[in-house]
Amino acid sequence: MEAAGAGAEEEEEEEEEDEEEGEGEEGGGEYDEEEDEWLLSSLRLYEDLHTFELQAPTRVIEWALGSRVCVAGYGSSDRNEILQLLPPPTLQAKETQGLCPERDFKVECGGFSSRPVYSLKHVPDTSLLVTSGPPDSSLHVWQVSGEDSDVIKPVSAIPAENSTGQAWAKIATISTKAPWVLHGSRTDNVRVTEVESQKNVYVAASRSSEELSGAAFLDCNTLLLCCTRGQLALADVRHPQSPVEAAAVPSAPRGERWCAGVGHGPPGSDFSSQPVACLSSGGRLVLADVRKISEPLASATCRVPSPGCGAEFLCVSWAPALEGCLAVSGFDGTVQVYDTRRWDRPGREAEPLFVHRGHAFGGPAGSEGPPRVTVHTWHPQKPRTLLSAASDGSLHVWDWVQPCGGCG
């Protein structure tokens, strides 16, 4: 999965050959015009735009120590690369760089996973990574080597009881007295485990067995679980005997799959001030208060190409440094940014603050349809900078121009 700059010269040569032969698929000219229009408009839409290609697509982008970025393959082979990348120096520059396809990530170290990597989390304040993926809900722990080595090596595996046949585990990490990992595939097999000793800190009690789409630490004691059918549940590691009770997101229609993203509250605030955004495969967005899940704070509908088009890569995340802003992806080749402070009517279609369309124009020749964004994440310090990846192996870093009256 070696990172490489965009092959602009090869694309130009292919376009010239197609023009000379007068061949091409029907509608291709219109598609090329849209791409050309986007490339031209990118000069005024973006403060920075960097495009890269990975040898294999990733569905994880995780920030690690020293502003490093980790990605990993999710293919069916037994050699899926896990890479730690060093972002290009230009990403840290304050002046506008424009479109810079020739600048690249540098691979610092890497390793191979014998199974697809569907989730990857860095353990805060350590050089450890935790991964999960099919065919079961077990976890794998990895050590990122120091300066004297370029290897990410497997350290241990954390088995899950009766994991055979279970969906892959959703995970979250935190460092308290010791590094912990929250993991589970259903509400009745959620655990918190010490990463190094593999001691169970918490085992959830649940009367139901709802499939999970995500899990998060709200603080060192409080867990948030999101179920695929649109329920949210809170759990307290100090009270393992208390059953996990999942409450449905208001007006969650049947048949749609849901995911959730947790925002950051004001410094020094407790977990109850952290906003939760729930996103459905039909494009519904609901903002919830963890103290009263049945009473939504706001709701809207985002623009999707066709409701129910799939939920494999559904993703919603809050901006860490832009009040009220969140991003959604997974419906097509775009990442949409919304300002939730503009949602004045419940359920109304929201106007995006910004739409990144760069991935929509990728994809190898002969591929079935345009690429779909597999994951996105915000830069932890730069307010309007995001990283996004797509099913064609493209990896973009982008910072949009602040509009008048927009976020931040």
Side-chain angles (χ1 to χ4, degrees), residues 235-271:
D236 192 322
V237 300
R238 296 166 297 185
H239 305 289
Q241 301 305 318
S242 299
V244 174
E245 300 288 351
V249 173
S251 304
R254 294 183 178 180
E256 295 188 358
R257 296 177 67 87
W258 290 77
C259 69
V262 181
H264 299 274
S269 60
D270 63 11
F271 74 87

Short mmCIF file of all heavy atoms in Angstrom, two decimals, residues 235-271:
data_model
loop_
_atom_site.label_atom_id
_atom_site.label_comp_id
_atom_site.label_asym_id
_atom_site.label_seq_id
_atom_site.Cartn_x
_atom_site.Cartn_y
_atom_site.Cartn_z
N ALA A 235 -23.33 3.02 29.03
CA ALA A 235 -22.91 2.03 30.01
C ALA A 235 -21.84 2.65 30.91
O ALA A 235 -21.07 3.51 30.47
CB ALA A 235 -22.36 0.77 29.33
N ASP A 236 -21.80 2.21 32.15
CA ASP A 236 -20.84 2.72 33.13
C ASP A 236 -19.98 1.55 33.59
O ASP A 236 -20.51 0.56 34.14
CB ASP A 236 -21.57 3.35 34.31
CG ASP A 236 -20.64 4.16 35.22
OD1 ASP A 236 -19.49 3.71 35.44
OD2 ASP A 236 -21.06 5.22 35.70
N VAL A 237 -18.66 1.64 33.39
CA VAL A 237 -17.78 0.52 33.75
C VAL A 237 -17.76 0.28 35.26
O VAL A 237 -17.35 -0.80 35.69
CB VAL A 237 -16.35 0.78 33.22
CG1 VAL A 237 -16.34 0.92 31.71
CG2 VAL A 237 -15.73 2.00 33.88
N ARG A 238 -18.20 1.24 36.05
CA ARG A 238 -18.21 1.08 37.51
C ARG A 238 -19.41 0.26 37.98
O ARG A 238 -19.47 -0.16 39.13
CB ARG A 238 -18.22 2.46 38.18
CG ARG A 238 -16.97 3.28 37.92
CD ARG A 238 -17.17 4.73 38.31
NE ARG A 238 -18.20 5.38 37.51
CZ ARG A 238 -18.50 6.69 37.59
NH1 ARG A 238 -17.84 7.46 38.44
NH2 ARG A 238 -19.45 7.19 36.82
N HIS A 239 -20.37 0.04 37.05
CA HIS A 239 -21.58 -0.70 37.41
C HIS A 239 -21.84 -1.79 36.39
O HIS A 239 -22.80 -1.73 35.61
CB HIS A 239 -22.77 0.26 37.50
CG HIS A 239 -22.57 1.41 38.43
ND1 HIS A 239 -22.53 1.27 39.80
CD2 HIS A 239 -22.36 2.73 38.18
CE1 HIS A 239 -22.32 2.45 40.36
NE2 HIS A 239 -22.22 3.36 39.41
N PRO A 240 -21.01 -2.82 36.38
CA PRO A 240 -21.14 -3.87 35.37
C PRO A 240 -22.43 -4.67 35.48
O PRO A 240 -22.85 -5.30 34.50
CB PRO A 240 -19.91 -4.75 35.62
CG PRO A 240 -19.55 -4.51 37.04
CD PRO A 240 -19.89 -3.07 37.30
N GLN A 241 -23.07 -4.68 36.65
CA GLN A 241 -24.30 -5.45 36.81
C GLN A 241 -25.51 -4.73 36.23
O GLN A 241 -26.56 -5.36 36.01
CB GLN A 241 -24.53 -5.74 38.30
CG GLN A 241 -23.40 -6.51 38.96
CD GLN A 241 -23.08 -7.81 38.25
OE1 GLN A 241 -23.99 -8.54 37.84
NE2 GLN A 241 -21.80 -8.10 38.09
N SER A 242 -25.38 -3.43 35.99
CA SER A 242 -26.51 -2.69 35.42
C SER A 242 -26.66 -3.05 33.95
O SER A 242 -25.71 -2.90 33.18
CB SER A 242 -26.28 -1.18 35.56
OG SER A 242 -26.17 -0.82 36.92
N PRO A 243 -27.83 -3.53 33.53
CA PRO A 243 -27.99 -3.95 32.14
C PRO A 243 -27.91 -2.78 31.17
O PRO A 243 -28.35 -1.67 31.49
CB PRO A 243 -29.37 -4.60 32.12
CG PRO A 243 -30.09 -4.00 33.29
CD PRO A 243 -29.04 -3.74 34.33
N VAL A 244 -27.34 -3.03 30.01
CA VAL A 244 -27.26 -2.02 28.96
C VAL A 244 -28.63 -1.91 28.31
O VAL A 244 -29.17 -2.89 27.77
CB VAL A 244 -26.20 -2.40 27.91
CG1 VAL A 244 -26.23 -1.41 26.75
CG2 VAL A 244 -24.83 -2.44 28.56
N GLU A 245 -29.22 -0.72 28.37
CA GLU A 245 -30.53 -0.48 27.79
C GLU A 245 -30.38 0.45 26.60
O GLU A 245 -29.91 1.57 26.73
CB GLU A 245 -31.48 0.14 28.83
CG GLU A 245 -31.71 -0.71 30.07
CD GLU A 245 -32.57 -1.93 29.80
OE1 GLU A 245 -33.13 -2.03 28.69
OE2 GLU A 245 -32.69 -2.78 30.71
N ALA A 246 -30.78 -0.03 25.43
CA ALA A 246 -30.67 0.77 24.20
C ALA A 246 -31.98 1.49 23.94
O ALA A 246 -33.06 0.89 23.98
CB ALA A 246 -30.31 -0.13 23.02
N ALA A 247 -31.90 2.80 23.68
CA ALA A 247 -33.08 3.61 23.37
C ALA A 247 -33.02 4.03 21.91
O ALA A 247 -31.97 4.41 21.40
CB ALA A 247 -33.12 4.85 24.26
N ALA A 248 -34.15 3.96 21.23
CA ALA A 248 -34.19 4.24 19.79
C ALA A 248 -34.06 5.73 19.52
O ALA A 248 -34.60 6.56 20.26
CB ALA A 248 -35.49 3.72 19.19
N VAL A 249 -33.33 6.05 18.46
CA VAL A 249 -33.27 7.43 17.97
C VAL A 249 -34.67 7.79 17.49
O VAL A 249 -35.30 7.02 16.77
CB VAL A 249 -32.25 7.56 16.82
CG1 VAL A 249 -32.30 8.94 16.21
CG2 VAL A 249 -30.85 7.24 17.33
N PRO A 250 -35.21 8.96 17.86
CA PRO A 250 -36.57 9.33 17.48
C PRO A 250 -36.78 9.28 15.96
O PRO A 250 -35.92 9.69 15.19
CB PRO A 250 -36.71 10.76 18.00
CG PRO A 250 -35.74 10.84 19.13
CD PRO A 250 -34.58 9.97 18.72
N SER A 251 -37.92 8.71 15.57
CA SER A 251 -38.34 8.65 14.16
C SER A 251 -37.37 7.85 13.30
O SER A 251 -37.25 8.10 12.10
CB SER A 251 -38.49 10.07 13.58
OG SER A 251 -39.39 10.83 14.33
N ALA A 252 -36.68 6.88 13.90
CA ALA A 252 -35.78 6.04 13.12
C ALA A 252 -36.60 5.04 12.32
O ALA A 252 -37.23 4.14 12.88
CB ALA A 252 -34.80 5.30 14.05
N PRO A 253 -36.64 5.16 10.98
CA PRO A 253 -37.46 4.26 10.18
C PRO A 253 -36.86 2.86 10.13
O PRO A 253 -35.65 2.67 10.25
CB PRO A 253 -37.43 4.92 8.79
CG PRO A 253 -36.16 5.69 8.76
CD PRO A 253 -35.92 6.16 10.17
N ARG A 254 -37.69 1.87 9.95
CA ARG A 254 -37.22 0.51 9.85
C ARG A 254 -36.50 0.28 8.53
O ARG A 254 -36.82 0.91 7.52
CB ARG A 254 -38.40 -0.46 9.97
CG ARG A 254 -39.08 -0.47 11.33
CD ARG A 254 -40.18 -1.50 11.39
NE ARG A 254 -40.82 -1.55 12.71
CZ ARG A 254 -41.81 -2.38 13.02
NH1 ARG A 254 -42.26 -3.22 12.11
NH2 ARG A 254 -42.33 -2.35 14.24
N GLY A 255 -35.55 -0.63 8.57
CA GLY A 255 -34.87 -0.99 7.34
C GLY A 255 -33.63 -0.18 7.05
O GLY A 255 -32.85 -0.54 6.17
N GLU A 256 -33.42 0.93 7.76
CA GLU A 256 -32.22 1.74 7.56
C GLU A 256 -31.18 1.38 8.61
O GLU A 256 -31.51 0.99 9.73
CB GLU A 256 -32.55 3.23 7.61
CG GLU A 256 -33.45 3.69 6.48
CD GLU A 256 -33.62 5.20 6.44
OE1 GLU A 256 -33.05 5.89 7.32
OE2 GLU A 256 -34.32 5.70 5.54
N ARG A 257 -29.92 1.52 8.22
CA ARG A 257 -28.82 1.26 9.15
C ARG A 257 -28.25 2.59 9.62
O ARG A 257 -28.24 3.57 8.86
CB ARG A 257 -27.75 0.40 8.48
CG ARG A 257 -28.25 -0.99 8.12
CD ARG A 257 -27.20 -1.80 7.40
NE ARG A 257 -26.05 -2.14 8.25
CZ ARG A 257 -26.00 -3.21 9.03
NH1 ARG A 257 -27.03 -4.05 9.09
NH2 ARG A 257 -24.92 -3.47 9.76
N TRP A 258 -27.75 2.60 10.85
CA TRP A 258 -27.33 3.84 11.49
C TRP A 258 -25.90 3.74 12.00
O TRP A 258 -25.41 2.66 12.33
CB TRP A 258 -28.25 4.17 12.66
CG TRP A 258 -29.63 4.58 12.26
CD1 TRP A 258 -30.63 3.75 11.84
CD2 TRP A 258 -30.17 5.90 12.24
NE1 TRP A 258 -31.76 4.48 11.56
CE2 TRP A 258 -31.51 5.81 11.79
CE3 TRP A 258 -29.66 7.16 12.56
CZ2 TRP A 258 -32.34 6.92 11.66
CZ3 TRP A 258 -30.48 8.27 12.43
CH2 TRP A 258 -31.80 8.14 11.98
N CYS A 259 -25.25 4.88 12.05
CA CYS A 259 -23.96 5.01 12.73
C CYS A 259 -23.99 6.31 13.53
O CYS A 259 -24.93 7.10 13.40
CB CYS A 259 -22.79 5.01 11.73
SG CYS A 259 -22.70 6.49 10.69
N ALA A 260 -22.99 6.53 14.36
CA ALA A 260 -22.98 7.72 15.21
C ALA A 260 -21.58 8.27 15.35
O ALA A 260 -20.59 7.54 15.21
CB ALA A 260 -23.55 7.41 16.60
N GLY A 261 -21.49 9.57 15.60
CA GLY A 261 -20.22 10.23 15.85
C GLY A 261 -20.35 11.11 17.08
O GLY A 261 -21.37 11.78 17.28
N VAL A 262 -19.32 11.10 17.93
CA VAL A 262 -19.33 11.85 19.18
C VAL A 262 -18.43 13.06 19.06
O VAL A 262 -17.28 12.95 18.61
CB VAL A 262 -18.88 10.98 20.37
CG1 VAL A 262 -18.92 11.77 21.67
CG2 VAL A 262 -19.74 9.73 20.47
N GLY A 263 -18.93 14.21 19.47
CA GLY A 263 -18.15 15.44 19.42
C GLY A 263 -17.42 15.70 20.72
O GLY A 263 -17.49 14.92 21.68
N HIS A 264 -16.72 16.83 20.77
CA HIS A 264 -15.97 17.22 21.96
C HIS A 264 -16.73 18.33 22.67
O HIS A 264 -17.14 19.32 22.06
CB HIS A 264 -14.57 17.72 21.58
CG HIS A 264 -13.74 16.69 20.89
ND1 HIS A 264 -12.98 15.77 21.56
CD2 HIS A 264 -13.56 16.43 19.56
CE1 HIS A 264 -12.35 14.99 20.69
NE2 HIS A 264 -12.70 15.37 19.48
N GLY A 265 -16.89 18.18 23.99
CA GLY A 265 -17.51 19.23 24.78
C GLY A 265 -16.50 20.30 25.14
O GLY A 265 -15.30 20.18 24.86
N PRO A 266 -16.94 21.37 25.78
CA PRO A 266 -16.02 22.42 26.23
C PRO A 266 -14.96 21.85 27.17
O PRO A 266 -15.21 20.87 27.88
CB PRO A 266 -16.94 23.42 26.96
CG PRO A 266 -18.30 23.14 26.40
CD PRO A 266 -18.34 21.68 26.10
N PRO A 267 -13.77 22.44 27.20
CA PRO A 267 -12.72 21.95 28.11
C PRO A 267 -13.19 21.91 29.55
O PRO A 267 -13.81 22.85 30.05
CB PRO A 267 -11.60 22.98 27.92
CG PRO A 267 -11.82 23.56 26.56
CD PRO A 267 -13.30 23.58 26.38
N GLY A 268 -12.94 20.79 30.21
CA GLY A 268 -13.32 20.64 31.60
C GLY A 268 -14.75 20.21 31.84
O GLY A 268 -15.16 19.99 32.98
N SER A 269 -15.54 20.05 30.76
CA SER A 269 -16.94 19.66 30.91
C SER A 269 -17.06 18.16 31.05
O SER A 269 -16.15 17.40 30.70
CB SER A 269 -17.75 20.15 29.71
OG SER A 269 -17.24 19.58 28.51
N ASP A 270 -18.22 17.69 31.54
CA ASP A 270 -18.43 16.25 31.67
C ASP A 270 -18.98 15.69 30.37
O ASP A 270 -19.25 16.41 29.41
CB ASP A 270 -19.33 15.92 32.85
CG ASP A 270 -20.74 16.49 32.68
OD1 ASP A 270 -21.08 16.96 31.57
OD2 ASP A 270 -21.50 16.47 33.66
N PHE A 271 -19.17 14.36 30.36
CA PHE A 271 -19.54 13.68 29.11
C PHE A 271 -20.90 14.14 28.59
O PHE A 271 -21.16 14.06 27.39
CB PHE A 271 -19.56 12.17 29.33
CG PHE A 271 -20.74 11.66 30.11
CD1 PHE A 271 -21.94 11.35 29.48
CD2 PHE A 271 -20.65 11.48 31.48
CE1 PHE A 271 -23.02 10.87 30.20
CE2 PHE A 271 -21.73 11.00 32.20
CZ PHE A 271 -22.93 10.70 31.56
#
